[in-house]
Coordinates of all heavy atoms in Angstrom, one line a residue:
E500 N 99.1 -89.4 45.1 CA 99.2 -90.6 44.3 C 100.4 -90.7 43.5 O 101.1 -91.7 43.4 CB 98.0 -90.8 43.4 CG 96.6 -90.8 44.2 CD 96.6 -92.0 45.2 OE1 97.2 -93.0 44.9 OE2 96.0 -91.8 46.3
M501 N 100.8 -89.6 42.8 CA 102.0 -89.5 42.0 C 103.2 -89.9 42.9 O 104.1 -90.6 42.5 CB 102.1 -88.2 41.4 CG 103.5 -88.0 40.6 SD 103.6 -86.3 39.7 CE 105.4 -86.4 39.4
C502 N 103.3 -89.2 44.0 CA 104.3 -89.6 45.0 C 104.5 -91.1 45.3 O 105.5 -91.6 45.3 CB 104.2 -88.7 46.2 SG 104.6 -86.9 45.8
K503 N 103.3 -91.7 45.6 CA 103.2 -93.0 46.0 C 103.7 -93.9 44.9 O 104.6 -94.8 45.1 CB 101.8 -93.5 46.4 CG 101.4 -93.1 47.7 CD 100.1 -93.6 48.1 CE 99.4 -93.0 49.2 NZ 97.9 -93.2 49.2
E504 N 103.3 -93.5 43.7 CA 103.7 -94.3 42.5 C 105.2 -94.3 42.2 O 105.8 -95.3 41.9 CB 102.9 -93.8 41.3 CG 102.9 -94.5 40.0 CD 102.4 -93.8 38.9 OE1 101.3 -93.0 39.1 OE2 103.0 -93.8 37.8
L505 N 105.8 -93.0 42.4 CA 107.2 -92.9 42.0 C 108.1 -92.9 43.2 O 109.4 -92.8 43.1 CB 107.4 -91.6 41.3 CG 106.6 -91.4 39.9 CD1 106.7 -90.0 39.5 CD2 107.0 -92.5 38.9
G506 N 107.7 -93.1 44.4 CA 108.4 -93.2 45.7 C 108.9 -91.8 45.9 O 110.2 -91.7 46.3
L507 N 108.2 -90.8 45.8 CA 108.7 -89.4 46.0 C 108.1 -88.8 47.3 O 107.0 -89.4 47.7 CB 108.3 -88.5 44.8 CG 109.0 -88.8 43.6 CD1 108.5 -88.0 42.4 CD2 110.6 -88.5 43.7
N508 N 108.6 -87.7 47.8 CA 108.1 -87.0 49.0 C 107.0 -86.1 48.5 O 107.1 -85.3 47.6 CB 109.1 -86.0 49.5 CG 110.0 -86.6 50.4 OD1 109.7 -87.5 51.1 ND2 111.3 -86.2 50.3
L509 N 105.8 -86.1 49.2 CA 104.9 -85.1 49.0 C 105.3 -83.9 49.9 O 105.1 -84.0 51.2 CB 103.5 -85.4 49.3 CG 102.4 -84.5 49.0 CD1 102.3 -84.2 47.6 CD2 101.0 -84.9 49.5
L510 N 105.7 -82.8 49.4 CA 106.2 -81.7 50.2 C 105.1 -80.9 50.9 O 105.2 -80.3 52.0 CB 107.1 -80.8 49.4 CG 108.4 -81.4 48.8 CD1 109.1 -80.4 47.9 CD2 109.4 -81.8 49.9
G511 N 104.0 -80.8 50.1 CA 102.8 -80.1 50.8 C 101.6 -80.0 49.7 O 101.8 -80.3 48.6
Q512 N 100.5 -79.8 50.3 CA 99.3 -79.5 49.5 C 98.7 -78.2 49.8 O 98.3 -77.9 50.9 CB 98.2 -80.6 49.8 CG 98.6 -82.0 49.5 CD 97.6 -83.2 49.8 OE1 97.3 -83.2 50.9 NE2 97.2 -83.9 48.8
I513 N 98.8 -77.3 48.9 CA 98.4 -75.9 49.0 C 96.9 -75.7 48.4 O 96.8 -76.1 47.3 CB 99.3 -75.0 48.2 CG1 100.9 -75.3 48.5 CG2 99.1 -73.5 48.4 CD1 101.4 -74.8 49.8
P514 N 96.1 -75.0 49.3 CA 94.7 -74.8 48.7 C 94.8 -73.7 47.6 O 95.8 -73.0 47.4 CB 94.0 -74.3 50.0 CG 95.1 -73.7 50.8 CD 96.3 -74.5 50.6
I515 N 93.7 -73.7 46.9 CA 93.5 -72.6 45.9 C 92.6 -71.5 46.6 O 91.6 -71.9 47.2 CB 92.9 -73.0 44.6 CG1 92.5 -71.9 43.7 CG2 91.5 -73.8 44.8 CD1 92.3 -72.2 42.2
N516 N 93.1 -70.3 46.7 CA 92.4 -69.2 47.2 C 92.8 -67.9 46.8 O 93.8 -67.7 46.2 CB 92.3 -69.4 48.8 CG 93.7 -69.1 49.4 OD1 94.5 -68.3 48.8 ND2 94.0 -69.7 50.5
K517 N 91.9 -66.9 47.1 CA 92.0 -65.5 46.7 C 93.4 -64.8 47.3 O 94.0 -64.1 46.6 CB 90.9 -64.7 47.1 CG 90.5 -63.6 46.1 CD 89.1 -63.3 46.4 CE 89.0 -61.7 46.5 NZ 87.6 -61.3 47.0
T518 N 93.7 -65.2 48.5 CA 94.8 -64.6 49.1 C 96.1 -64.9 48.4 O 96.8 -63.9 48.3 CB 94.9 -65.2 50.6 OG1 93.6 -65.4 51.2 CG2 95.7 -64.4 51.5
I519 N 96.2 -66.1 48.0 CA 97.5 -66.4 47.3 C 97.5 -65.7 46.0 O 98.5 -65.1 45.6 CB 97.5 -68.0 47.1 CG1 97.7 -68.6 48.4 CG2 98.8 -68.3 46.2 CD1 97.8 -70.2 48.4
R520 N 96.4 -65.7 45.2 CA 96.4 -65.1 43.9 C 96.6 -63.5 44.1 O 97.5 -63.0 43.4 CB 95.1 -65.3 43.2 CG 95.0 -65.1 41.7 CD 94.7 -63.7 41.3 NE 93.3 -63.3 41.8 CZ 93.1 -62.0 42.1 NH1 94.0 -61.1 41.9 NH2 92.0 -61.7 42.6
E521 N 96.0 -62.9 45.0 CA 96.2 -61.5 45.3 C 97.6 -61.2 45.7 O 98.2 -60.1 45.2 CB 95.2 -61.0 46.4 CG 93.8 -60.8 45.8 CD 92.8 -60.4 46.9 OE1 93.1 -60.5 48.0 OE2 91.6 -60.0 46.5
G522 N 98.2 -62.1 46.5 CA 99.4 -61.8 47.0 C 100.5 -61.9 45.7 O 101.4 -61.0 45.7
G523 N 100.2 -62.7 44.8 CA 101.1 -62.8 43.6 C 100.9 -61.6 42.7 O 101.9 -60.9 42.3
D524 N 99.6 -61.1 42.5 CA 99.3 -60.0 41.6 C 99.8 -58.7 42.2 O 100.3 -57.8 41.4 CB 98.0 -59.8 41.4 CG 97.4 -61.0 40.4 OD1 98.3 -61.6 39.8 OD2 96.1 -61.1 40.2
S525 N 99.8 -58.6 43.5 CA 100.2 -57.2 44.2 C 101.6 -57.3 44.5 O 102.2 -56.2 44.9 CB 99.4 -57.1 45.4 OG 99.7 -58.1 46.4
G526 N 102.4 -58.3 44.3 CA 103.8 -58.3 44.8 C 104.0 -58.4 46.2 O 104.9 -58.0 46.7
M527 N 102.9 -58.9 46.9 CA 103.1 -59.0 48.4 C 102.8 -60.5 48.8 O 101.7 -60.8 49.1 CB 102.0 -58.1 49.0 CG 102.2 -56.7 48.7 SD 100.9 -55.6 49.1 CE 101.0 -55.5 50.8
P528 N 103.8 -61.4 48.6 CA 103.6 -62.9 48.8 C 103.1 -63.1 50.2 O 103.5 -62.5 51.1 CB 105.0 -63.4 48.6 CG 105.9 -62.3 48.4 CD 105.1 -61.0 48.2
V529 N 102.1 -64.0 50.2 CA 101.5 -64.4 51.6 C 102.6 -64.8 52.5 O 102.5 -64.4 53.8 CB 100.5 -65.6 51.5 CG1 99.2 -65.1 51.1 CG2 101.0 -66.7 50.6
A530 N 103.6 -65.6 52.2 CA 104.7 -65.9 53.1 C 105.3 -64.7 53.8 O 105.8 -64.9 55.0 CB 105.7 -66.8 52.4

Side-chain angles (χ1 to χ4, degrees):
E500 296 304 324
M501 173 179 165
C502 288
K503 283 189 194 155
E504 186 188 325
L505 301 173
L507 294 169
N508 280 320
L509 182 68
L510 297 171
Q512 291 178 305
I513 309 279
I515 176 165
N516 64 34
K517 214 163 129 188
T518 323
I519 295 179
R520 201 270 305 149
E521 283 175 346
D524 285 350
S525 61
M527 297 165 78
V529 275

